[in-house]
Amino acid sequence: MVGAGIYVVPFMIQRHVPGVGSGVLLAYLLAAVPAVLAGLAYAILSSAMPRAGGSYVYASRGLSPYLGFIASFSQWFALCIAIGVVSYLLTPFVRDVAVAAGASGAARWLDLAAVRLLLPLAVLWCFVGVNLRGLETYQRVLLPLLGLTFLLGAVVIVAGFFLGPEAGPEVREAANVTPSAGTIATAAALLFSSFIGFDAIAQAGGEARDPSRTLPLAIGLAIGIVAVFYALFAGAVYHAVPWTVVRDEALQHDTSAAALLGARLPGTLRVAVVAGAAVALVKDLPAMLLGVSRLMFAWAEDGIVPRAVASVHPRFHTPRVAILLSALVASMGIVGCLLAGDFFLGVDILVTSMLVNFLLMCGSVLALPGRNPALARQIRVLRSPAARRVVGIAGFLLLGVLLVVHTARDLGPSPLPWYLRSTVVWLGVMALGSAVFWREVRGLARRGVDVEALFAALPPE
């Protein structure tokens, strides 16, 4: 969850949601409410169904096999694209580190088109190797990166609040402008992307120790810690840099916390802030690769995609085919970002996909007791059926509102052609996923598989 998005999205939102102005922090708080409800839904379902593939297993057993596949196919595609976006952004972030350190020659080299393509691909496939070697290697790599991300992020928080605002009379006058409720809601829908990531916890399923207890606990801790960290981080930057300055910078070119705050810091601290963005970016990759590969593994276990996708490495016990296929799609995302010269389409697709995914998770919480009472009796989080209904209904309604707001913004007036609208791309991908699902399910039925019985029970551990 704690990735490079916090360095970019809360500031570039001034371009993508005109008029949000000083309302960014309020939009963050608004986005956190449905994120908490979605997290509770995941925690409830993971306590009863601790299996690899998380969202696919939850929705296929709680709602229907088709909705389970659509929820997870949507998530898989969006996260693969997000892996490509994150990898693509690595080169300009490293270039900014070189600029901050005074290495102008290295910065020019990093701006070459070939480097902007080959460096992200090299880093991505390096982390493919980490994932292939199993969770122990993954943990040894990820935890130090996570520690560095929090440490260097703390530099931004302390520096931002220590510096204090630097504003002239005209900036203070503009700061009194209050954004509309509709604008705040639109910004909240986009900022919801910052909370995406806790779902990766659920994808590992039975690979965790005592998953029925540790998965829900990890989800709750992750959302709570990240919500506080993100609020402090964005608040510190906007405290030191007036939103009018952020807006003007975002309208002229891509900007980030490092660029906005770095200009007011001495050399060493400037390098630390910019390096923090690069480390946070790198840290995103192994976790997202783990999540998407486990989704594919779960599909193959149920026979929704060819069984070969469930192939497990004989030594490291990792789903090697699923990891490699996911990385190939992410590599195409890198190429797409380079050709398009922009990355916000990937963010929009991620938000659409995950809002749909979380909506279906809340629906699964509501439907599970009626559809699969035996699994519902295994729930260890919010044991009260009434409390679970409140979470499911509230989450479904709030996430639905965010999805409507986000879709309306995407399909509204825009200079973008129709084929670069995230909603259109998402619908096309879902049509492809639906065709794959029905083809494979018909194949299962022809082979004599009892499809109803298959999706009534959990996959083997």
Side-chain angles (χ1 to χ4, degrees):
M1 289 181 69
V2 183
I6 186 60
Y7 283 84
V8 178
V9 176
F11 315 108
M12 288 304 297
I13 199 171
Q14 298 286 353
R15 179 201 295 178
H16 292 274
V17 184
V20 65
S22 59
V24 172
L25 288 180
L26 178 58
Y28 248 128
L29 292 174
L30 183 60
V33 176
V36 169
L37 292 170
L40 278 171
Y42 259 90
I44 290 166
L45 296 168
S46 66
S47 71
M49 295 176 275
R51 293 292 189 275
S55 58
Y56 164 69
V57 175
Y58 306 157
S60 64
R61 272 60 179 178
L63 289 171
S64 75
Y66 173 70
L67 290 177
F69 182 72
I70 285 299
S72 55
F73 190 76
S74 169
Q75 180 181 19
W76 174 81
F77 173 74
L79 287 177
C80 284
I81 296 298
I83 292 170
V85 169
V86 167
S87 303
Y88 171 75
L89 287 174
L90 178 62
T91 306
F93 274 57
V94 174
R95 178 204 59 207
D96 290 347
V97 175
V99 170
S104 55
R108 286 193 296 271
W109 179 77
L110 288 163
D111 266 334
L112 296 174
V115 176
R116 291 186 69 119
L117 175 64
L118 296 177
L119 180 60
L121 287 171
V123 173
L124 168 63
W125 284 91
C126 174
F127 283 112
V128 169
V130 170
N131 273 266
L132 285 172
R133 291 183 63 85
L135 288 183
E136 288 187 8
T137 302
Y138 169 93
Q139 178 176 290
R140 286 197 295 268
V141 171
L142 192 68
L143 290 182
L145 289 174
L146 179 61
L148 271 176
T149 298
F150 274 111
L151 178 63
L152 297 174
V155 173
V156 173
I157 294 170
V158 173
F161 284 118
F162 178 79
L163 286 171
E166 184 180 69
E170 69 285 353
V171 174
R172 287 195 295 271
E173 182 180 352
N176 292 324
V177 177
T178 302
S180 68
T183 301
I184 293 293
T186 303
L190 195 55
L191 288 172
F192 184 79
S193 65
S194 300
F195 295 96
I196 293 169
F198 66 82
D199 48 288
I201 294 169
Q203 308 309 347
E207 294 174 82
R209 294 188 181 92
D210 191 10
S212 294
R213 184 183 68 86
T214 55
L215 294 182
L217 181 60
I219 290 169
L221 285 172
I223 292 176
I225 292 169
V226 169
V228 172
F229 181 78
Y230 275 11
L232 288 173
F233 189 102
V237 177
Y238 275 101
H239 180 72
V241 184
W243 69 261
T244 49
V245 175
V246 178
R247 178 201 60 198
D248 293 344
E249 288 289 315
L251 290 174
Q252 293 176 31
H253 51 76
D254 291 346
T255 191
S256 68
L260 293 165
L261 196 60
R264 297 187 59 191
L265 296 175
T268 303
L269 284 180
R270 188 182 308 122
V271 172
V273 169
V274 179
V279 171
L281 200 71
V282 170
K283 185 203 67 62
D284 282 345
L285 295 175
M288 287 194 289
L289 279 168
L290 181 143
V292 294
S293 63
R294 270 49 175 189
L295 284 172
M296 292 194 77
F297 176 81
W299 301 338
E301 284 281 280
D302 274 353
I304 299 302
V305 298
R307 185 72 184 180
V309 175
S311 172
V312 173
H313 195 285
R315 177 181 173 191
F316 301 119
H317 310 293
T318 50
R320 53 186 175 183
V321 175
I323 291 172
L324 294 173
L325 289 175
S326 300
L328 284 172
V329 176
S331 298
M332 289 189 282
I334 294 173
V335 175
C337 285
L338 185 67
L339 294 176
D342 191 20
F343 65 89
F344 240 86
L345 175 61
V347 176
D348 281 340
I349 293 171
L350 180 65
V351 172
T352 300
S353 300
M354 296 309 295
L355 282 172
V356 171
N357 178 280
F358 294 153
L359 269 170
L360 292 176
M361 293 306 104
C362 291
S364 297
V365 170
L366 295 172
L368 184 64
R371 180 173 175 82
N372 206 322
L375 288 177
R377 286 193 290 271
Q378 303 303 314
I379 292 174
R380 297 173 60 179
V381 174
L382 288 184
R383 294 178 185 269
S384 164
R388 296 200 298 270
R389 281 195 294 272
V390 169
V391 169
I393 293 171
F396 196 89
L397 291 175
L398 285 177
L399 290 162
V401 168
L402 284 186
L403 181 60
V404 170
V405 169
H406 179 69
T407 304
R409 181 190 72 86
D410 181 58
L411 297 179
S414 170
L416 290 174
W418 65 269
Y419 53 83
L420 288 181
R421 306 293 184 99
S422 63
T423 305
V424 174
V425 175
W426 182 82
L427 288 172
V429 172
M430 291 308 99
L432 176 63
S434 298
V436 170
F437 175 83
W438 292 117
R439 177 182 177 275
E440 295 299 323
V441 166
R442 283 195 294 268
L444 288 173
R446 283 195 301 269
R447 294 194 295 272
V449 175
D450 186 340
V451 177
E452 287 294 326
L454 174 67
F455 291 108
L458 290 180
E461 291 193 60

